[in-house]
Amino acid sequence: MVARGETRTVRVGGVVIGGGAPIAVQSMTTADTGDPAATLAQIAELAAAGCEIVRVAVVHADVLDGFAAICAASPLPVVADIHFDHELAIEAAVRGAAKLRINPGNIGSLDKVDAVIDAAGEAGIPIRIGVNAGSLAEEYRDRDWPLPDKLVASAVAFTEHFESRDFTDIVLSAKASSVVSTVQAYRALAKLVSYPLHIGVTEAGTSLSGTVKSAVGLGVLLAEGIGDTIRVSLTADPVDEVLVAWEILAALDLRRRTAELVSCPTCARCQIDLIPIAEEIDRRLRERPSALKVAVMGCVVNGPGEAREADIGVAAGQGVGLIFAKGEPLRKVPEADIVDALMEEIDRIEGRTP
Amino acid sequence: MVARGETRTVRVGGVVIGGGAPIAVQSMTTADTGDPAATLAQIAELAAAGCEIVRVAVVHADVLDGFAAICAASPLPVVADIHFDHELAIEAAVRGAAKLRINPGNIGSLDKVDAVIDAAGEAGIPIRIGVNAGSLAEEYRDRDWPLPDKLVASAVAFTEHFESRDFTDIVLSAKASSVVSTVQAYRALAKLVSYPLHIGVTEAGTSLSGTVKSAVGLGVLLAEGIGDTIRVSLTADPVDEVLVAWEILAALDLRRRTAELVSCPTCARCQIDLIPIAEEIDRRLRERPSALKVAVMGCVVNGPGEAREADIGVAAGQGVGLIFAKGEPLRKVPEADIVDALMEEIDRIEGRTP
């Protein structure tokens, strides 16, 4: 729909961010970093859902050994999330972090920030400068400016400081819990800097409001070509963050990982209990990479039209489902067999043994 | 964030669409239209969730009496959703519909469309011309054009036909199941016509993908000032469509109905099981109109910052929650009492007796 903004390139382990690379999906573990087994199990789940970069909080020195073990065994590049304590950032860099995320505004002093920059430089890893409305540096926090201006000024000032130390291996973020402030801040940043942008709405909320706020905010930005890596923040299982992130990318035809499911909103025309059927097909389709477009329709109004556009689908009515492929009817099955029959045909199309 | 596009004004019962009026939230019943009690019960639920205009499918003549009973008793203006059969549209207009929704492309002939236009004119009600990728008029369907061009050409041709009969009481929609096609079609329509636009992504899918596709698609359009009334289509309970619609409007600061809840994404810093607490607060807040901003935070990193911005909130940690208002601590409560204590303080602020 639009051209992506041009940015520098940053490497996080094996994943490239910026410079036109595919928009990378991130999430963050919630397990105790001091418990590498639990955290690695969560990383495995996140990776299976399509997470490409994982962030792990390093809260105090006690978890540094756990963090090292996680970095050593993680299938995904691990970003150390640090607040307040620059020593933890330095130690995380030594222990295998693929990137550091700090908010220089809460590290305490520029001297301490410089020590982190030097540690990252030595380890050859990038730093995300993560400015956040909830933890703005004091000198900006109390200014009588609109929030987006404060976020942008703070972020740009930090990049300039990093540049003054010849460190440009930077990813930048400036998040607010307000979608409008977030969008305005990133629009300004995209004009002012050439660093890849990590975009997200912070403290977006529970499953419903967080999903919508992230989809609206990241959707608007991505549609304008802004954003090189995304994190959806939900007060929910981080696996859900990854699923929502992929849905956002798919909605804009930017990246797709699993089959595209088109299903109708059911109305008084619908003569079958379509919701559980569609949900079950959705669940099964999310388990496997696929490039197919699948339609699940409950009536004849839009069914035939969508059928023409889909690779495979079902039009359901009065206890039966008609399976079709590329608009041609394949077979009629009873309601109870719709899901299995459809998945069987998908297996056939994709050359899997059912 | 942006100025809204200028459009004409259309009245649907007591609700104004277009001309700068607040963006109206719509949904559609799934109960049998022939069962007015069931449909009215669903309309009551939708109204309680914030639905402002409700669409009801009129599938065949058997349900016309039911439809009339629904129109007579509904607290919301009722839109008759008609496909294929122009007689049903004419009968619905006579029986109290506040608006007709037809897709002229599947009505059969322009003569039949004209009969519907005349009926609406006589009843003094508007018509939504609802063009849909799944049921495009044949003359456009088979053209070798990009889908958005087909949708737009078909929609504009129909408005011109309506104008030729001096009927301009029109709301226009052109939906596709592809977000990108939908956005492109509406962008073009907003430039070409001055009729209020009903925006939505059709057959958006199950709860997760439908929510994200609608939020991205409608979010991008609304952020550009396009869209006068919205319908979120989900293969789910229509009440969810209304909740998602309001979340989209709230995300862009366009309209807000219930309190704004800011909650953190929980991470390894979080020492409390925050998700069920946040979900329960979310559920209770959705039951009451409110203009408050409420923060539910699981740690001290962004908690204090968000606390400053929120009207009331809780910062939770290690079995306790600290309730604060306007950034000032009010009281400390055990984990089990967080939800009740927070709601109690909200009641106090809003002058309700707890």
Side-chain angles (χ1 to χ4, degrees):
Chain A
M1 188 154 67
V2 287
R4 311 222 53 77
E6 285 201 17
T7 68
R8 294 165 187 245
T9 294
V10 164
R11 276 184 183 277
V12 182
V15 180
V16 176
I17 299 178
I23 295 158
V25 171
Q26 307 205 16
S27 184
M28 189 165 178
T29 54
T30 56
D32 177 4
T33 309
D35 181 347
T39 302
L40 284 165
Q42 196 172 35
I43 291 174
E45 269 185 73
L46 290 169
C51 184
E52 298 170 310
I53 296 172
V54 68
R55 186 148 50 108
V56 173
V58 181
V59 185
H60 44 69
D62 297 355
V63 303
L64 283 167
D65 287 344
F67 181 77
I70 293 163
C71 292
S74 172
L76 303 179
V78 176
V79 180
D81 191 67
I82 311 286
H83 286 276
F84 311 122
D85 186 346
H86 74 292
E87 297 280 1
L88 292 175
I90 294 165
E91 293 300 323
V94 172
R95 281 170 170 80
K99 181 169 82 172
L100 303 178
R101 181 270 161 128
I102 61 169
N103 178 350
N106 69 19
I107 288 296
S109 72
L110 283 181
D111 280 353
K112 290 175 179 173
V113 171
D114 290 346
V116 176
I117 295 173
D118 293 347
E122 241 164 75
I125 58 174
I127 297 178
R128 169 155 68 97
I129 301 175
V131 173
N132 193 303
S135 50
L136 262 175
E138 255 178 71
E139 52 182 309
Y140 294 99
R141 196 181 64 204
D142 301 324
R143 290 191 196 187
D144 188 23
W145 291 3
L147 177 59
D149 294 357
K150 293 198 267 192
L151 289 165
V152 170
S154 177
V156 170
F158 285 130
T159 62
E160 285 167 356
H161 179 78
F162 277 54
E163 287 161 3
S164 76
R165 296 189 68 84
D166 285 330
F167 190 94
T168 55
D169 204 9
I170 296 170
V171 177
L172 200 57
S173 68
K175 302 183 188 180
S177 62
S178 150
V179 170
V180 171
S181 294
T182 303
V183 167
Q184 289 172 334
Y186 279 103
R187 281 179 176 162
L189 280 180
K191 285 188 189 139
L192 292 170
V193 303
S194 61
Y195 298 110
L197 297 177
H198 166 118
I199 61 173
V201 177
T202 190
E203 287 93 42
T206 53
S207 210
L208 171 61
S209 70
T211 297
V212 172
K213 284 172 77 172
S214 293
V216 170
L218 305 192
V220 168
L221 288 168
L222 291 168
E224 295 177 11
I226 298 169
D228 303 283
T229 179
I230 67 175
R231 157 91 192 281
V232 170
S233 297
L234 300 178
T235 308
D237 185 330
V239 165
D240 292 347
E241 298 184 343
V242 175
L243 298 180
V244 171
W246 277 103
E247 287 294 337
I248 294 170
L249 296 176
L252 289 166
D253 295 345
L254 287 166
R255 291 183 78 187
R256 194 176 289 283
R257 195 175 157 266
T258 55
E260 177 178 7
L261 176 62
V262 171
S263 65
C264 76
T266 81
C267 67
R269 278 183 196 89
C270 192
Q271 294 172 314
I272 197 166
D273 191 10
L274 197 70
I275 298 175
I277 294 173
E279 288 287 349
E280 177 61 17
I281 292 170
D282 189 42
R283 199 190 61 71
R284 295 204 200 173
L285 288 175
R286 277 181 207 284
E287 287 173 351
R288 44 206 277 172
S290 169
L292 294 183
K293 181 169 179 177
V294 180
V296 177
M297 305 296 294
C299 82
V300 294
V301 172
N302 294 313
E306 290 295 346
R308 264 191 302 276
E309 303 266 328
D311 297 298
I312 182 149
V314 60
Q318 284 188 308
V320 296
L322 180 64
I323 311 277
F324 49 80
K326 296 278 181 199
E328 297 301 317
L330 287 183
R331 56 181 167 128
K332 198 177 270 187
V333 296
E335 178 171 350
D337 298 345
I338 288 176
V339 176
D340 287 337
L342 189 73
M343 295 307 297
E344 213 175 278
E345 294 300 336
I346 290 172
D347 281 334
R348 216 184 301 276
I349 293 176
E350 296 190 326
R352 284 189 189 82
T353 315
Chain B
M1 189 155 66
V2 286
R4 309 220 58 74
E6 285 199 19
T7 69
R8 293 163 187 248
T9 293
V10 165
R11 275 183 184 279
V12 182
V15 180
V16 176
I17 300 178
I23 294 158
V25 170
Q26 306 205 19
S27 184
M28 191 164 176
T29 54
T30 57
D32 178 3
T33 309
D35 183 346
T39 303
L40 285 165
Q42 197 172 33
I43 291 174
E45 269 185 72
L46 290 169
C51 183
E52 297 169 309
I53 297 172
V54 67
R55 187 148 49 109
V56 172
V58 180
V59 185
H60 44 68
D62 297 355
V63 302
L64 282 169
D65 288 343
F67 181 77
I70 293 162
C71 291
S74 171
L76 303 180
V78 176
V79 181
D81 191 68
I82 312 285
H83 286 277
F84 311 124
D85 186 346
H86 74 293
E87 297 280 1
L88 292 175
I90 294 165
E91 293 301 324
V94 173
R95 280 172 171 78
K99 181 169 81 173
L100 302 178
R101 181 268 160 128
I102 61 169
N103 178 351
N106 69 20
I107 288 296
S109 73
L110 282 181
D111 281 351
K112 291 177 178 170
V113 171
D114 290 345
V116 177
I117 294 173
D118 293 346
E122 242 164 76
I125 57 175
I127 297 177
R128 169 154 70 96
I129 301 175
V131 173
N132 193 303
S135 51
L136 262 174
E138 257 179 69
E139 53 182 309
Y140 295 98
R141 195 181 65 205
D142 302 325
R143 290 191 195 185
D144 189 23
W145 292 2
L147 177 59
D149 294 356
K150 293 197 268 191
L151 289 165
V152 170
S154 177
V156 170
F158 286 129
T159 62
E160 285 167 356
H161 179 76
F162 278 52
E163 287 160 4
S164 76
R165 293 188 70 83
D166 284 330
F167 189 93
T168 55
D169 204 11
I170 296 170
V171 177
L172 200 58
S173 68
K175 302 184 188 180
S177 62
S178 149
V179 171
V180 171
S181 294
T182 303
V183 166
Q184 288 171 335
Y186 279 103
R187 280 177 177 164
L189 280 180
K191 285 189 190 137
L192 292 170
V193 302
S194 62
Y195 298 110
L197 297 176
H198 165 119
I199 61 173
V201 178
T202 190
E203 287 93 42
T206 53
S207 209
L208 171 60
S209 70
T211 297
V212 172
K213 283 173 76 172
S214 293
V216 170
L218 305 192
V220 167
L221 288 168
L222 291 168
E224 294 177 11
I226 298 169
D228 302 284
T229 178
I230 66 174
R231 157 93 192 281
V232 170
S233 297
L234 301 178
T235 307
D237 186 329
V239 166
D240 293 348
E241 298 184 345
V242 175
L243 298 180
V244 171
W246 277 102
E247 288 293 338
I248 294 170
L249 295 176
L252 289 165
D253 294 346
L254 287 166
R255 289 184 78 186
R256 193 177 289 284
R257 196 177 157 266
T258 55
E260 177 178 7
L261 177 63
V262 170
S263 65
C264 76
T266 83
C267 67
R269 276 181 199 90
C270 192
Q271 293 173 313
I272 198 165
D273 191 9
L274 197 70
I275 297 174
I277 293 173
E279 287 287 349
E280 176 61 16
I281 292 169
D282 189 42
R283 198 189 62 69
R284 295 205 200 172
L285 288 175
R286 276 181 208 285
E287 287 173 352
R288 46 205 275 172
S290 169
L292 294 182
K293 181 168 180 178
V294 180
V296 177
M297 306 296 295
C299 81
V300 293
V301 171
N302 294 314
E306 289 296 344
R308 262 190 302 277
E309 304 265 329
D311 296 298
I312 182 149
V314 59
Q318 283 189 307
V320 295
L322 180 65
I323 312 277
F324 50 79
K326 298 277 181 198
E328 298 301 317
L330 288 183
R331 56 181 168 130
K332 198 177 268 188
V333 296
E335 179 169 351
D337 298 344
I338 287 176
V339 176
D340 287 336
L342 189 73
M343 295 308 297
E344 213 175 279
E345 295 298 337
I346 290 171
D347 281 332
R348 216 183 301 275
I349 293 176
E350 296 189 327
R352 284 189 190 82
T353 315

